Amino acid sequence: MIDYTFARPTNVTDQAILDLYRSNGWTAYTEAPQNTLAAFQQSTVLWALASGRLVGFVRGITDGHTILYIQDILVHPDFQRQHIGTALVRRYLQRHQHIGQTVLITDDERRTRAFYQSIGFSEVRPQDDGRAFVLDRRFN
């Protein structure tokens, strides 16, 4: 059984967070751990735990009224394909249902696109609905 909570569980250590990034191969987050961990202080996070072990989370930022930006959705590889990612996103969006616009930027893999479209996200391309711009400065 998976437990979901917006309050950071006391047993979720900084190391557990970094280990989850590492288990998914997100090395940019583990190369600058102080930045990654500091970002959590300014984020709204929904945690997923199995028997007290951190197995996933969704992290975003919002002004609380008009915009929600989802930054990270991670599920430990041992727990993927069990609908935990879907449950995380749906619960996160439910918590922020009063916010008009939700944005996320992700890689261009077919399975990633299929996942987000399966939970109601639409891909925005310049010819469809405005323009999307990104300034990617990484962590360095």
Side-chain angles (χ1 to χ4, degrees):
M1 180 172 154
I2 304 297
D3 295 311
Y4 300 92
T5 181
F6 279 94
R8 182 171 172 171
T10 56
N11 62 328
V12 172
T13 64
D14 290 350
Q15 189 60 52
I17 293 168
L18 295 172
D19 287 346
L20 186 55
Y21 279 109
R22 195 171 289 109
S23 74
N24 280 277
W26 290 24
T27 57
Y29 290 86
T30 58
E31 289 171 0
Q34 67 283 2
N35 289 338
T36 299
L37 298 170
F40 276 80
Q41 302 304 314
Q42 303 298 319
S43 302
T44 302
V45 182
L46 176 59
W47 308 92
L49 295 101
S51 301
R53 174 185 171 201
L54 178 63
V55 297
F57 62 78
V58 56
R59 179 178 74 85
I61 57 173
T62 182
D63 63 12
H65 300 280
T66 62
I67 185 75
L68 170 64
Y69 179 83
I70 296 177
Q71 174 62 26
D72 301 328
I73 302 166
L74 280 106
V75 175
H76 192 281
D78 293 346
F79 289 83
Q80 291 176 3
R81 300 286 201 209
Q82 298 178 36
H83 307 286
I84 295 169
T86 299
L88 278 164
V89 174
R90 287 192 173 146
R91 289 169 187 252
Y92 197 79
L93 293 174
Q94 178 66 30
R95 170 80 175 258
H96 298 94
Q97 66 183 338
H98 62 284
I99 297 173
Q101 189 174 54
T102 301
V103 176
L104 65 87
I105 299 170
T106 188
D107 57 20
D108 192 28
E109 293 181 22
R110 175 177 285 149
R111 75 180 206 148
T112 303
R113 185 180 317 116
F115 170 72
Y116 288 116
Q117 288 176 334
S118 77
I119 53 179
F121 281 83
S122 299
E123 186 174 3
V124 177
R125 295 182 175 263
Q127 68 271 19
D128 292 335
D129 189 21
R131 299 201 191 290
F133 294 91
V134 176
L135 175 61
D136 186 359
R137 295 189 240 187
R138 302 290 165 171
F139 291 99
N140 302 348

